[in-house]
Amino acid sequence: MDLKKHLDRAEAALKKGQADFAVELCDQVLEFAPGEGRAAELFTKALLEMEGGSKLMGKLGAGPAGLAARFSRLTRNPEGEARSLRRAFLKNSGDLRAGVAWAEALEKAGYAGGALGVFGALASQDGEAAKKAGALAAAQGEVDQALDFYKMALEVNPRDTEAMRARKNLAAEQALRTKKYEEAESGFDLAVDQDAFLRAARGEDADPQDEQD
């Protein structure tokens, strides 16, 4: 299966308002690669645009997902639990808690990219999802993206002190790193003859004037 081609088609379908087709394509990818981040994100966005996922249930074979998820949890099968909770979200696409439960199961199964995709797609509507997306993005080194997610959390709930603190700390850390980089770069500029350094990097001979000095 060409995953990129499938997901490109899903994204195009979503832009054309064909959310049900986008869900179907993403579901095929997620059956093959359950932690694929882009597929999880598009799947979630498409479900949120649909009035309900029930009309796809028979076509995609979604059964008693809640029971299957509980059984997978009892048997310590995190991948099975994530799959079942994806089915539960498909059945109840208007229930943001179902989407959050799927994302949490993906994270538990070790699919951080997939979890970020789902939490990120839910972020504009659910403050807790936005905060979890922020934490995952920060853990993956995507600081700017993490700051955006924390901003979304505050847009949902301006009094969320946890999101305020996380965003403030992350912004301060980013500023500190930028300052250290700029200071290091400045110190390097002062200590090194840039022309000589570039000539050496290109494998060129030293400037005769430098040798005379």
Side-chain angles (χ1 to χ4, degrees):
M1 177 186 291
D2 188 334
L3 301 187
K4 184 179 183 305
K5 184 177 180 180
H6 253 60
L7 294 177
D8 286 345
R9 290 175 65 198
E11 188 169 5
L14 189 56
K15 289 179 180 178
K16 293 177 182 177
Q18 300 170 344
D20 54 344
F21 184 45
V23 167
E24 185 178 349
L25 289 169
C26 290
D27 191 71
Q28 292 173 9
V29 172
L30 290 166
E31 282 294 308
F32 181 78
E36 217 293 332
R38 186 183 173 200
E41 180 182 3
L42 288 172
F43 183 88
T44 304
K45 287 181 176 179
L47 277 184
L48 293 177
E49 287 197 10
M50 294 173 61
E51 293 181 359
S54 58
K55 60 185 177 182
L56 287 172
M57 293 290 288
K59 192 172 184 179
L60 297 180
L67 179 61
R70 287 193 292 273
F71 180 76
S72 295
R73 192 178 303 120
L74 288 172
T75 56
R76 297 182 180 180
N77 178 7
E79 286 196 17
E81 182 183 355
R83 183 181 186 278
S84 297
L85 289 173
R86 185 176 88 244
R87 287 286 183 260
F89 185 32
L90 176 62
K91 183 178 180 181
N92 304 284
S93 60
D95 185 356
L96 298 182
R97 292 173 299 176
V100 169
W102 174 37
E104 290 174 342
L106 285 171
E107 185 177 8
K108 182 179 177 182
Y111 297 127
L116 176 57
V118 180
F119 281 133
L122 297 170
S124 63
Q125 299 184 42
D126 187 281
E128 292 302 314
K131 287 190 293 185
K132 290 189 176 184
L136 283 169
Q140 295 177 29
E142 301 294 339
V143 177
D144 290 336
Q145 187 182 34
L147 289 170
D148 287 341
F149 284 131
Y150 285 124
K151 182 180 178 182
M152 288 183 189
L154 290 170
E155 288 172 351
V156 174
N157 179 11
R159 296 184 178 181
D160 190 329
T161 55
E162 184 182 359
M164 288 181 194
R165 183 168 57 252
R167 190 168 189 266
K168 181 179 179 181
N169 290 342
L170 196 59
E173 182 181 345
Q174 184 185 47
L176 182 61
R177 287 180 178 178
T178 301
K179 182 179 179 182
K180 286 183 177 179
Y181 175 80
E182 289 175 348
E183 288 177 348
E185 188 178 50
S186 176
F188 180 81
D189 290 344
L190 291 172
V192 176
D193 181 335
Q194 291 189 17
D195 289 337
F197 179 81
L198 290 173
R199 284 196 300 272
R202 291 193 293 262
E204 298 175 357
D205 294 334
D207 190 317
Q209 183 64 37
D210 293 339
E211 292 180 347
Q212 291 177 7
D213 294 340

